[in-house]
Amino acid sequence: MRFATVIDPAQPDRPRAAVLQGETWHALGAGDLSALVTSGGLVAGGPTPPVGGPIAGAVPVNPLPSPTKVICCGLNYGDHIAETGRERPRFPTLFPKYADTLVGPTDDVVLPAGVEADWEAELAVVVGAPLRRASRDEAAAAVLGYTVANDVSVRDWQRRTLEWFQGKAWDATTPLGPVVVTPDEVDPAAGLAISCRVNGVEVQRDSTATLVFDAVDLLAYISTFTVLRPGDVVLTGTPGGIGMTRDPAWYLADGDVVETEVEGIGTLRNTVRLTDS
Amino acid sequence: MRFATVIDPAQPDRPRAAVLQGETWHALGAGDLSALVTSGGLVAGGPTPPVGGPIAGAVPVNPLPSPTKVICCGLNYGDHIAETGRERPRFPTLFPKYADTLVGPTDDVVLPAGVEADWEAELAVVVGAPLRRASRDEAAAAVLGYTVANDVSVRDWQRRTLEWFQGKAWDATTPLGPVVVTPDEVDPAAGLAISCRVNGVEVQRDSTATLVFDAVDLLAYISTFTVLRPGDVVLTGTPGGIGMTRDPAWYLADGDVVETEVEGIGTLRNTVRLTDS
């Protein structure tokens, strides 16, 4: 199954949670996927909620506008660990974003002029049942599905202090979507191609099979110290090829188009706007 | 003014936002201070909301059960910076907690047996108006008030990776309260004594006047990258005297009583429970 939050062009002010049937999005009984999941209307491994009519020309937007937690793993692909000069980790390196940090799959990414903005293509996992001190099996059963993210990072702010948070949590800078695909349709552990292109030039390519800690590992680990709830999102880390570690460093410029793709899920296409505001 | 969320012993299942008048807490029209502030019923610098009847024997609990953001500053007192072997910073080191991380002023702090739990007495500031890319003056005008926190830290998890988050965001381990005092009554920049006692032994003592980045600095800085909303909480950092940097290191044991005090605001008194669950 493929779920999304979509805009109906006939009612553009009223987003809808939706499910794909054939080539057509059909409405589900909630204003967005966050609301559907947090209300219990859609549960990991549960039945498909009641399906409404087709939405002609539906356009996916940010599927999950209101997660209570958005937690990210850094240093989780072997080649990205190598390019940062570090050793393979014993524990996942975790940092958070906010619901405020997210934007949709085709939204502009707007940052002040002059910052060092960098790309990080990532697989994201969406929680579909509460998790506290979960085993790996319990975490696997709680996966609602997978989606695509770009952990756009403001490197100069990330490097200002020991903690990455202030370079990672700029409002409306992390594209998410376009769809959430249930685990019966995609298996990241078996290997999904993940890639990033900047103005059509491929800058990252790897397979999700090479993750040090996979999505299920991360959910179980995080649930040791903080509860995860339906609709929460975990970003699993980025492969090698970021801009910061290139020689010379390559940062995103005003007008650049960043495409982020995970095989079997979909593609984000976002334009960078570096404004003075 | 002094605000709190209190339990009325006559109706223990129904917390109330409350204001202190003389020696007696009086009910305000909301279930807790988070709800009152997010609804606009209490605004930084605004009028006192309509005051209801007295609540005999009212007991303050966690004043702010549902902030959207709880952001902490590390390395913000000169002696604490020195004890960690670091230089005076140009930028505040920031990391987040969650609403889930907070507990009340007399609640137990419960952690698994075997972890390295440490104390960090802190002044906290409560946001009382939306802040985005705020100047220092705008940030000052948005301070609802000040309260006390203990940024209880799980040092072994904090040290597992580069990012402190997984040692800082254990559910229900950061005491907050007991009251929120408006800035006309307390001025941290002028110097409030801050201290921590473990089983009656003083382990930390400093003045908030020695903060590198004061509460208003932190609100303005954070608002550069992410919006702050009414009811959000910022912890301003801890002075020297933590357990981790002692020789030998001193961690909290099951049954230890931690008292955290800021002059002019109040005292948290929490018992540590290290259980196997």
Side-chain angles (χ1 to χ4, degrees):
Chain A
M1 309 285 289
R2 302 171 87 81
F3 296 98
T5 300
V6 302
I7 294 290
D8 176 352
Q11 294 178 287
D13 296 334
R14 187 180 165 219
R16 305 291 294 271
V19 60
L20 194 63
Q21 299 200 325
E23 300 290 309
T24 308
W25 289 100
H26 287 249
L28 299 171
D32 59 62
L33 207 49
S34 286
L36 185 65
V37 174
T38 55
S39 71
L42 176 62
V43 177
T48 305
V51 177
I55 304 172
V59 178
V61 294
N62 173 10
L64 293 153
S66 51
T68 62
K69 291 172 187 159
V70 181
I71 300 180
C72 310
C73 183
L75 307 173
N76 201 20
Y77 283 90
D79 57 348
H80 177 56
I81 296 167
E83 77 183 350
T84 62
R86 298 196 171 91
E87 294 186 357
R88 190 178 174 90
R90 285 180 58 208
F91 303 108
T93 300
L94 301 174
F95 59 90
K97 294 175 180 272
Y98 294 114
D100 284 332
T101 322
L102 306 178
V103 289
T106 59
D107 288 337
D108 287 354
V109 170
V110 183
L111 281 163
V115 300
E116 296 177 354
D118 199 353
W119 55 85
E120 293 200 355
E122 308 211 2
L123 172 77
V125 56
V126 182
V127 176
L131 284 174
R132 182 170 186 276
R133 309 241 164 124
S135 67
R136 205 184 132 86
D137 283 352
E138 290 165 339
V143 172
L144 182 73
Y146 296 97
T147 189
V148 185
N150 197 308
D151 171 19
V152 169
S153 302
V154 178
R155 300 297 187 195
D156 43 341
W157 283 62
Q158 184 181 346
R159 282 192 307 257
R160 282 184 168 189
T161 72
L162 294 169
E163 300 303 296
W164 301 344
F165 169 64
Q166 65 189 268
K168 294 287 195 174
W170 286 69
D171 285 353
T173 59
T174 293
L176 190 79
V179 300
V180 176
V181 183
T182 52
D184 57 307
E185 291 199 11
V186 288
D187 179 8
L192 306 173
I194 178 169
S195 61
C196 183
R197 295 180 292 280
V198 177
N199 301 330
V201 176
E202 186 172 283
V203 289
Q204 294 184 291
R205 173 166 291 273
D206 208 325
S207 164
T208 57
T210 71
L211 281 166
V212 177
F213 304 100
D214 73 10
V216 174
D217 290 333
L218 294 174
L219 297 186
Y221 187 87
I222 293 164
S223 81
T224 307
F225 63 91
T226 191
V227 65
L228 292 170
R229 297 191 177 84
D232 287 347
V233 179
V234 172
L235 276 63
T236 62
T238 202
I242 62 170
M244 175 178 68
T245 55
R246 290 165 189 258
D247 185 13
W250 175 3
Y251 295 114
L252 292 165
D254 186 61
D256 279 354
V257 175
V258 179
E259 292 169 290
T260 315
E261 183 170 1
V262 176
E263 176 188 5
I265 303 176
T267 303
L268 311 169
R269 189 174 190 282
N270 304 86
T271 300
V272 175
R273 298 291 176 203
L274 300 183
T275 73
D276 288 309
S277 68
Chain B
M1 309 285 289
R2 302 171 85 81
F3 296 98
T5 299
V6 302
I7 294 288
D8 176 353
Q11 294 179 290
D13 296 334
R14 186 180 167 219
R16 306 290 294 269
V19 62
L20 194 65
Q21 298 199 327
E23 300 290 308
T24 308
W25 289 100
H26 287 249
L28 299 171
D32 59 62
L33 206 50
S34 287
L36 184 66
V37 174
T38 55
S39 70
L42 176 63
V43 176
T48 305
V51 177
I55 305 173
V59 177
V61 293
N62 173 10
L64 294 154
S66 52
T68 62
K69 291 173 187 160
V70 180
I71 300 180
C72 310
C73 183
L75 307 173
N76 200 20
Y77 283 89
D79 56 350
H80 177 56
I81 295 166
E83 77 183 350
T84 61
R86 298 196 169 91
E87 295 186 355
R88 191 178 171 90
R90 286 181 58 208
F91 303 108
T93 299
L94 301 174
F95 59 91
K97 294 177 181 272
Y98 293 114
D100 284 331
T101 322
L102 305 177
V103 288
T106 60
D107 288 336
D108 288 352
V109 170
V110 183
L111 280 164
V115 300
E116 295 177 354
D118 200 354
W119 55 84
E120 293 200 355
E122 309 211 1
L123 172 77
V125 56
V126 182
V127 177
L131 285 173
R132 181 169 187 277
R133 308 246 162 120
S135 67
R136 204 182 134 84
D137 284 352
E138 290 165 340
V143 172
L144 183 72
Y146 297 97
T147 187
V148 185
N150 197 308
D151 171 18
V152 170
S153 301
V154 178
R155 299 297 187 196
D156 43 341
W157 282 63
Q158 185 181 346
R159 283 192 307 257
R160 282 185 170 190
T161 72
L162 294 169
E163 300 303 297
W164 301 343
F165 169 64
Q166 63 189 267
K168 293 287 194 174
W170 286 69
D171 285 353
T173 59
T174 294
L176 190 78
V179 301
V180 176
V181 184
T182 52
D184 57 308
E185 292 200 10
V186 288
D187 179 8
L192 306 175
I194 178 169
S195 61
C196 184
R197 294 179 293 279
V198 177
N199 301 329
V201 177
E202 186 173 283
V203 290
Q204 295 186 286
R205 174 166 290 275
D206 208 326
S207 163
T208 57
T210 71
L211 281 166
V212 178
F213 305 100
D214 73 10
V216 173
D217 290 334
L218 292 175
L219 297 186
Y221 187 87
I222 293 164
S223 81
T224 308
F225 63 90
T226 191
V227 65
L228 292 170
R229 298 191 177 85
D232 288 347
V233 179
V234 172
L235 275 64
T236 61
T238 201
I242 61 171
M244 176 178 68
T245 54
R246 291 165 187 257
D247 186 13
W250 175 3
Y251 295 114
L252 292 165
D254 185 62
D256 279 355
V257 175
V258 179
E259 291 170 290
T260 315
E261 183 169 3
V262 177
E263 177 187 5
I265 302 176
T267 303
L268 311 170
R269 189 174 191 281
N270 304 87
T271 301
V272 175
R273 299 290 176 203
L274 301 184
T275 73
D276 288 308
S277 67

